[in-house]
Amino acid sequence: MEEQNEAINGAGAQTQVHPDPKPQQHAAKPAYAQKPNNPKRFDYGKYASKFVNKTTVSALVLYAIIALIVFNPVFSHISTTVPGTGGDSFLNLWEIWWTGYALSTHASLYYTYSVFWPVGANLIYQTISPLTGIISLPFQAFGLVTAYNITLLIGILISAFGMFVLAKYITKNAYAAFLAGLFYAFSATHVAQSYSHMNWVDIGFIPVLLYFLLRSLYGEGGKHAIYKNAAGIGISFVLITFLGGYEKAIMSIMLSVLVVVVYLVYELYYKQSKKFVLSKSLWITIILGMVIAFVLGSWGFIPLIHTLTQKGGISSAQYLNNVTYNEGWSNNLLSFFVPSYYNGIFNPGAKTSYFAGTFQSDPTEKIGYIGYMPLLLAIAGIYYDIKAKRKRYLLWLSIAIFFGWLSLGPYVQIGSKITSIPTIYIIYHAIHGLNVIREPGRFLTVGTIGLDILAAIGITEIISKDKLKILRNKKYNIYAIIAIAAVLFIIGSSGIPHTSATASIVSTPVPSSSFYKELSTVNTTFSVLQLPILEDVNSSQPLLYEGLANYGAALSKKPFIGGYFGRENTTQLLSLYNIPLTVEVQNLIDGNGFNYTSPVNENYTNESLFTMYSYNTEVLAIQKHAFSSSDLLGIEDYFSSIFGNPIYNGNNTMAFATKSEEASVLNNSYISYPYLPDWTEYGIAYNGSDYNMFLPIYPGPITVYAPIYNSTNTTKRNSVDNTTVSFYAIGAYNGSSVKVIESTTSGYKDVANFTINKAMQRYSFNMDMVAGQANPLLFISSQSNNVSTVLINDIKFSKA
């Protein structure tokens, strides 16, 4: 930064620095239209030196040092600790692994069977950042955790440098640009997102896109300006999208539209003779940039467009995107002024009342602290701009206000109260196809661009010789001012998670994984069921074990049943509920005993074994630290009685081989299970006794597997067995009814009809059932006010 004479000595003369659209500043003919007599080849080295020189290298080194301090809980344990907590941390590990694995095995990048086997998952709806995964590939040789943390550092540096480039362009001052990059990359909201979500680490190409858009507005770039700026816009948009996701892509589009609108209003209001938005060159540049972006990113844009335009595509992308959830992921008005929940110096980990009220229910998505240092400098920037009769602040203030307002979500929240005051997010949420960003708080990331540029303008004016005489030509005094501003910002904004208590809410030690690494050496293909695998609503990290399944899949290179994604669907969850073991184990953890409540009277061990057989499961793994010592001893005895001794028993993991026992249920047992979400459990009192009954939510499906009594005769698979079906039922009214329908590939077939009265009674019927996987039966109850009027329990299947 030492060689910035024009920045320091000339800072006071910056009254004409764009973007302050004044026609006298610009040549009548744009640079790209001028034809020099002696055209020269483009000097790539000279162009690159604008971005890579002593000043920029110095800035990057300082940013790296600050990153190592702020993110010390992970960088001090770079190979054993991951950023964030819960399922997201291990999902991030899986995502960077999946990119390399998909490319090396020629698998589809955007669809996986690695988790949620055998259903799989469409990754278009998820948070996968394929280019981030590619950046991590060289470092994965040192381990997945190390690669993740190195990629985190790279993303932070790109974020800071991207803002540095934009702020340097606006202010022509490297010191101001350094502070702007610091404020942007280490803002409280970005640090919180970086700890939790890999796809939000790299935000640097959003200001770079804005840099090229502003150059296009002014026709800057010399010879071939259109092509250079279009390339910058196109490449930046591709990097924004695939180093992050479609959320950041949408925000970038919204930002670009806002910039164009602000300039258009200015241009029309002040009746400028120089055309900016209305110039043909701008729109040629934008259209060409869009073409370049689509061509370069077609490998990702085409699957994205194809998926979102399918039936239900947008609704799947909008999973949990409603007002209730939006409010839980919106910035609280107080959060703009209250230090981060993760600030290690103020240590809000103690969850004092004002912190709890501001950050409930999801601190990561509700941290909006903008910092008093950037705020004060931004106010100074606005003041000096107005005093000098410049209008640069209008654009940057518009960006800060617009995206900050969006981050408040549907209704303004103050402390622990949600008011009835609507925000512009309500309008955004009504725009079909665009409104897929369900976490309003993330809009603030873009809003800080406006605030930070204003702060850069402010510090530029403050350190100019016309503002503080004591700083005239005194370089080291300027260094002191910048250092003080930087230190005060870090202390107030992100702090340093320096205590073990605070570090535990921003980072997670990775458990030993030697068993899964051993599995990766087994060449045969099979799936793994890891328990527990369901969400633990009573835990401080309810999605931790779901996320650990992703991590196990990455290490073992074997498909796992279940897993974790931010956007899951019913089919994926049913693939877990069809295995009673998953529910029984979770009930055990919740203190409700090793049980499975179902309207079907079934041998649930056999049901689990059959489903595991259907899923080609050969390994059952137990995460030992999820259980108390007594519960762990009990389930070890239970699994040993079925599968024999464990094939592995380490500090963290116990594993059983399951294949030999699963096939045994095919020949001697009916297997029948309901889709539990379609049955609601009710406790009733009848004749002085308590009963657990189930209400079939229309249409109450049950899938049945009829046994193959002669497995040596393959023709028996197509034989017809005479099956008796029986159940208890009680009606809400005399004259209620239940009909049973078989769902076949050719339509529906009536099987039985019953009149159900207010007395509990057992009903039965016989039906022919094909051996093997039978068609689902639907228990359809009569309804009153759209509510079923019959409760059912103890459904049994047996050979007549």
Side-chain angles (χ1 to χ4, degrees), residues 245-534:
Y246 53 76
E247 286 187 344
K248 286 197 297 186
I250 289 174
M251 290 184 190
S252 299
I253 294 171
M254 294 172 65
L255 173 63
S256 300
V257 171
L258 178 63
V259 170
V260 170
V261 169
V262 170
Y263 269 84
L264 179 62
V265 170
Y266 184 93
E267 188 173 331
L268 295 177
Y269 182 79
Y270 289 99
K271 299 178 181 179
Q272 297 290 299
S273 58
K274 167 69 178 177
K275 302 301 182 185
F276 299 96
V277 176
L278 299 179
S279 70
K280 186 170 81 170
S281 63
L282 171 65
W283 294 102
I284 292 175
T285 303
I286 291 175
I287 293 172
L288 183 56
M290 293 169 60
V291 172
I292 292 172
F294 186 80
V295 171
L296 294 179
S298 58
W299 52 273
F301 290 129
I302 291 176
L304 174 63
I305 295 169
H306 174 75
T307 300
L308 295 180
T309 53
Q310 297 298 304
K311 183 179 180 181
I314 294 294
S315 60
S316 296
Q318 293 175 328
Y319 174 71
L320 298 183
N321 191 6
N322 54 61
V323 170
T324 300
Y325 283 100
N326 292 152
E327 289 170 346
W329 295 322
S330 299
N331 281 329
N332 193 299
L333 191 60
L334 294 183
S335 71
F336 290 155
F337 308 101
V338 175
S340 169
Y341 182 86
Y342 301 125
N343 187 302
I345 293 176
F346 292 99
N347 196 17
K351 297 183 179 179
T352 54
S353 59
Y354 75 96
F355 275 109
T358 303
F359 296 116
Q360 63 178 357
S361 54
D362 188 348
T364 298
E365 302 292 356
K366 299 176 75 70
I367 292 174
Y369 183 69
I370 53 182
Y372 290 101
M373 181 58 64
L375 182 60
L376 291 173
L377 290 177
I379 292 172
I382 295 172
Y383 167 77
Y384 287 124
D385 249 27
I386 293 175
K387 185 178 180 180
K389 297 182 179 180
R390 294 188 298 247
K391 299 177 178 62
R392 292 182 299 178
Y393 72 93
L394 292 174
L395 172 62
W396 308 110
L397 188 60
S398 297
I399 292 172
I401 292 175
F402 179 75
F403 286 97
W405 197 0
L406 277 171
S407 77
L408 293 175
Y411 297 94
V412 174
Q413 301 176 45
I414 304 176
S416 58
K417 296 181 179 179
I418 300 177
T419 72
S420 58
I421 304 172
T423 77
I424 56 174
Y425 186 85
I426 293 288
I427 300 174
Y428 162 78
H429 199 274
I431 305 174
H432 184 70
L434 186 66
N435 58 348
V436 297
I437 302 173
R438 65 186 189 184
E439 302 91 353
R442 298 182 182 183
F443 279 108
L444 186 63
T445 297
V446 180
T448 59
I449 294 176
L451 185 77
D452 297 340
I453 292 297
L454 288 172
I457 294 173
I459 194 67
T460 298
E461 297 292 347
I462 288 173
I463 65 177
S464 67
K465 63 181 181 181
D466 293 332
K467 303 301 181 295
L468 294 177
K469 302 298 183 182
I470 192 174
L471 293 178
R472 180 179 296 174
N473 298 323
K474 293 187 178 181
K475 177 175 56 181
Y476 293 104
N477 287 342
I478 295 176
Y479 285 166
I481 291 290
I482 300 300
I484 291 171
V487 170
L488 290 178
F489 167 74
I490 292 297
I491 290 174
S493 183
S494 302
I496 304 170
H498 60 289
T499 67
S500 58
T502 312
S504 66
I505 63 175
V506 296
S507 60
T508 302
V510 179
S512 174
S513 53
S514 57
F515 172 68
Y516 292 131
K517 292 179 181 178
E518 290 178 16
L519 280 186
S520 68
T521 64
V522 180
N523 293 327
T524 56
T525 300
F526 54 83
S527 69
V528 178
L529 173 61
Q530 175 181 282
L531 297 175
I533 192 57
L534 296 178

